[in-house]
Amino acid sequence: MEKQILDYSLVPAGLLLMVGYHIWLLFRILKFPNKTVIGLNSLCRTYWVRAMMEDASKNGVLAVQTLRNSIMASTVLASASIMLSSAIAVLMSGRYGDRPFGVVFGDKTALTISIKSFAILVCFLLSFLMNVQSIRYFSLASILISVPINKLPRPHNLTAEYVGTVLNSGSYFWSLGLRVFYFSFPLFLWIFGPIPMFLSSIVLLLMLYSVDVGFESGWPFRAAGPEEVYPRNGDGGV
């Protein structure tokens, strides 16, 4: 019973820490985007799309090649996720699906082992779905960004702002897929007990904080509104 208490206390604590951190990060992205790496990257992608679409005939190849690299990264992560999901499903359906692995300090019942395997499986499946969505948006952006909008008959609804939104949507889905992939690490270590799971959650949060938070003094950019990024003028610009 004492070992089961560790699962009932440390595992929820680790999950709450990870969920709470991402809620805080979401608040920072929405309220102070210039102080987060995700917000700054989103702004930089918006400027990049505008620069590429100002002369699509000159920059189209560069833009498509850059987006192709993003598609390849999402494809690799999606492939890894679905392969790991298949491996976990085989373990769950095999004769080792209800047996503990290695030295486990915690609850070793068949129900708990099944819950651990199912949680890891859900993480990998979610990562696969998120990366598939990112591939969809990156593919669409690679088509739209090479369209010479200055040569299209007016009025038309294709603007650099819309293409930037599509590109940012693909990047957000890729980031979510990668986050879910990271989320599976503590759950995987939960197989060996609640203590490794809780400690890995703390280490993961420290690592994510170091790559998520950007200090305003170290970045020359600031959050800009739509009117600043896409000034309205009468010269037929983007």
Side-chain angles (χ1 to χ4, degrees):
M1 183 63 183
E2 294 180 357
K3 294 182 178 180
Q4 293 179 349
I5 293 177
L6 292 177
D7 283 276
Y8 298 152
S9 58
L10 293 182
V11 174
L15 294 176
L16 286 176
L17 284 175
M18 290 188 289
V19 173
Y21 168 79
H22 285 90
I23 293 176
W24 171 83
L25 180 63
L26 178 62
F27 172 79
R28 296 277 293 184
I29 293 173
L30 295 177
K31 297 296 183 179
F32 309 101
N34 59 323
K35 294 184 180 180
T36 62
V37 174
I38 295 177
L40 289 170
N41 289 344
S42 176
L43 181 61
C44 291
R45 283 191 296 268
T46 302
Y47 284 124
W48 179 77
V49 168
R50 177 175 173 83
M52 293 294 103
M53 297 188 70
E54 285 180 350
D55 191 353
S57 60
K58 179 180 179 181
N59 301 323
V61 176
L62 173 62
V64 171
Q65 288 180 343
T66 302
L67 291 174
R68 184 183 63 181
N69 295 334
S70 299
I71 293 174
M72 291 176 61
S74 298
T75 303
V76 170
L77 195 56
S79 301
S81 299
I82 197 64
M83 285 190 296
L84 290 172
S85 299
S86 301
I88 295 297
V90 169
L91 289 176
M92 291 179 63
S93 60
R95 60 176 182 173
Y96 299 103
D98 56 350
R99 297 183 182 181
F101 297 91
V103 179
V104 180
F105 188 79
D107 192 356
K108 301 180 182 180
T109 61
L111 176 61
T112 302
I113 296 174
S114 299
I115 292 175
K116 295 175 183 179
S117 301
F118 181 74
I120 300 172
L121 177 62
V122 169
C123 283
F124 288 141
L125 289 177
L126 286 177
S127 179
F128 171 75
L129 294 175
M130 295 295 181
N131 282 281
V132 168
Q133 286 296 315
S134 71
I135 294 173
R136 170 176 173 263
Y137 279 106
F138 285 143
S139 299
L140 177 59
S142 66
I143 297 174
L144 297 178
I145 201 171
S146 58
V147 175
I149 60 176
N150 291 329
K151 298 181 181 179
L152 293 179
R154 294 184 180 274
H156 62 81
N157 296 324
L158 181 60
T159 62
E161 183 177 14
Y162 172 73
V163 180
T165 301
V166 172
L167 178 59
N168 281 327
S169 297
S171 299
Y172 294 151
F173 274 109
W174 184 83
S175 297
L176 288 174
L178 192 61
R179 295 284 165 152
V180 177
F181 206 89
Y182 289 158
F183 206 90
S184 66
F185 293 163
L187 295 178
F188 178 78
L189 292 179
W190 185 22
I191 295 177
F192 303 97
I195 297 178
M197 184 271 178
F198 181 75
L199 294 179
S200 64
S201 299
I202 297 177
V203 173
L204 178 62
L205 290 182
L206 294 176
M207 183 191 72
L208 291 178
Y209 180 83
S210 66
V211 300
D212 285 335
V213 178
F215 296 96
E216 192 173 8
S217 59
W219 293 85
F221 302 102
R222 63 186 178 86
E227 293 295 331
E228 296 180 79
V229 179
Y230 307 99
R232 301 184 181 276
N233 49 46
D235 57 0
V238 177

